[in-house]
Amino acid sequence: MKEPIIISIGGGKGGVGKSTISANIGTALSQKGFNVGFIDADLGGANLHLCLGVKRPRVGLQDFIKGNYKSLNEVAVPTLVEKSWLISGASDILELANPNFAQKQKIINNLKKLDADYILVDLGAGSSFHVTDFFAAFPYGIIVTDGLPTSIENAYGYLKNGIIRGMVRLFPGKTELQNRIKNFSDPQSKKEFTTVNDLLNHLKNDYSEETLLLKQWLHKRRSFLVLNMVKNADDIKIGTRFAEMVKKYLSINLYYIGYIMFAPEIRASIKEMRPFMLKEEPSRIRDCFEAVSQNLISITRGSV
Ligand SMILES: Nc1ncnc2c1ncn2[C@@H]1O[C@H](COP(=O)(O)OP(=O)(O)OP(=O)(O)O)[C@@H](O)[C@H]1O
Ligand SMILES: [Mg+2]
């Protein structure tokens, strides 16, 4: 069995459409013949199940974390989307809203063993460790923003924290090195660097091998920008400017893979509890999701 391509979906800001995009990109991938797995890692506010037509998931991540089930695939449930499954994060157990590091690691390690071509991991809002640990764990990540200045700032903070978190986690136990990496992300720090490249240049004097590892890790990452709720042609350009800023300051590849228009039909589809993409007739919204999914496939399956 080939390992699945695992993609996190985050963006820092709440309500920008992360779950909607997860559900509809997943549907588009399934319509192209891929087996798709959905993970709702928004443990404090899980609602991806509703976007996929699952009213009340019988089992979910909490059952796996608590050890009631040995393997993750036992807590997967079918969805309205053909050849797909969902592992829900819905839970009444408050303590699981903020899983500890070991609990998160248990989920992350077991995702690779699941049977799917693509696994989409829908994240909650914010840039705390609960969110960025999932971003850092997988080389692929979609960043969703609606392009408003507040959302752009949050998306940048999410990416920056996620990258710092991933870099720190490469060196367990090396506290001095970890602190130097973390200082970059600490707004209180006087030793702040302006770009990840500056940080790497500075580190390489004392940590040459580790700096090489950091560069390799950054180089392997593929992050994808999706601009949601686009209303006009000017909005579309925001994505290009944001991708340039990320490249310059954070030294990672951010591929602007497309935009989704603002459309009341999308909101209506949430009310109906059916992904919009299950409507097969041609439409501009369908074209948007198709384009984004096709770009995602091209990059993740090696033709770019
Ligand atoms: N392109 C769009 N056009 C119109 N409405 C949209 C669009 N995308 C999302 N919405 C609506 O915005 C609301 C928020 O979407 P969604 O729940 O997917 O956001 P989210 O980022 O996952 O939120 P949270 O941070 O709470 O997890 C929903 O009601 C959804 O229907
Ligand atoms: Mg959501």
Side-chain angles (χ1 to χ4, degrees):
M1 195 176 81
K2 249 183 81 185
E3 269 193 18
I5 294 172
I6 306 176
I7 306 175
S8 65
I9 292 128
K13 188 103 168 67
V16 290
K18 299 177 291 294
S19 302
T20 307
I21 302 264
S22 303
N24 284 291
I25 289 182
T27 309
L29 291 171
S30 142
Q31 288 167 348
K32 289 177 192 301
F34 296 107
N35 294 312
V36 179
F38 297 94
I39 308 286
D40 194 344
D42 184 357
L43 295 170
N47 56 17
L48 183 62
H49 56 286
L50 298 175
C51 304
L52 293 164
V54 182
K55 258 201 190 135
R56 224 167 281 107
R58 187 175 44 77
V59 278
L61 274 178
Q62 74 281 4
D63 300 295
F64 177 67
I65 294 176
K66 282 195 297 182
N68 296 349
Y69 292 86
K70 285 246 159 352
S71 63
L72 255 183
N73 62 14
E74 292 175 77
V75 295
V77 298
T79 85
L80 278 185
V81 180
E82 226 177 282
K83 293 194 296 179
S84 84
W85 48 258
L86 162 75
I87 298 179
S88 171
S91 166
D92 298 333
I93 309 161
L94 263 181
E95 74 207 59
L96 294 178
N98 293 322
N100 64 34
F101 187 76
Q103 290 171 327
K104 266 178 292 191
Q105 206 52 45
K106 185 176 168 191
I107 299 170
I108 289 164
N109 291 341
N110 281 281
L111 283 187
K112 295 190 215 56
K113 300 178 197 159
L114 291 169
D115 188 14
D117 298 309
Y118 282 94
I119 295 181
L120 304 179
V121 184
D122 182 25
L123 302 182
S127 306
S128 70
F129 290 164
H130 303 301
V131 179
T132 53
D133 271 340
F134 287 106
F135 168 84
F138 314 115
Y140 296 116
I142 295 176
I143 287 85
V144 181
T145 175
D146 61 9
L148 290 172
T150 42
S151 317
I152 288 284
E153 196 170 292
N154 287 5
Y156 184 79
Y158 164 76
L159 267 173
K160 183 173 169 181
N161 284 353
I163 286 164
I164 302 285
R165 184 70 175 152
M167 295 203 295
V168 164
R169 283 181 45 175
L170 287 179
F171 307 107
K174 295 192 179 174
T175 322
E176 211 265 337
L177 173 58
Q178 288 186 326
N179 284 338
R180 283 174 67 172
I181 298 171
K182 277 187 216 161
N183 274 340
F184 168 79
S185 74
D186 177 4
Q188 307 297 322
S189 166
K190 296 207 170 56
K191 284 180 269 167
E192 202 171 342
F193 295 88
T194 45
T195 70
V196 169
N197 259 341
D198 290 342
L199 171 69
L200 295 176
N201 280 335
H202 188 84
L203 281 179
K204 84 167 178 263
N205 301 326
D206 299 327
Y207 294 101
S208 64
E209 269 175 41
E210 289 86 348
T211 307
L212 208 63
L213 278 178
L214 286 169
K215 281 187 180 165
Q216 284 165 353
W217 184 83
L218 286 164
H219 187 71
K220 267 199 286 181
R221 292 203 68 86
R222 296 282 178 277
S223 299
F224 310 106
L225 177 66
V226 175
L227 206 63
N228 190 24
M229 307 193 190
V230 161
K231 292 194 171 143
N232 55 48
D234 277 347
D235 285 353
I236 298 170
K237 292 184 207 143
I238 296 170
T240 315
R241 288 202 295 274
F242 182 62
E244 282 165 6
M245 183 171 87
V246 166
K247 177 100 198 138
K248 182 171 164 199
Y249 288 99
L250 300 180
S251 312
I252 55 159
N253 296 306
L254 180 66
Y255 297 84
Y256 183 18
I257 59 168
Y259 65 90
I260 312 295
M261 304 147 48
F262 180 89
E265 296 94 315
I266 294 183
R267 191 172 285 266
S269 72
I270 304 277
K271 282 196 189 141
E272 284 170 37
M273 288 179 41
R274 279 174 71 82
F276 176 86
M277 285 298 276
L278 285 180
K279 287 191 175 75
E280 300 267 356
E281 66 258 28
S283 69
R284 279 183 65 203
I285 309 169
R286 165 166 281 282
D287 291 347
C288 289
F289 281 117
E290 282 278 347
V292 165
S293 308
Q294 196 51 57
N295 286 333
L296 196 61
I297 294 167
S298 303
I299 300 172
T300 54
R301 300 189 87 81
S303 60
V304 172

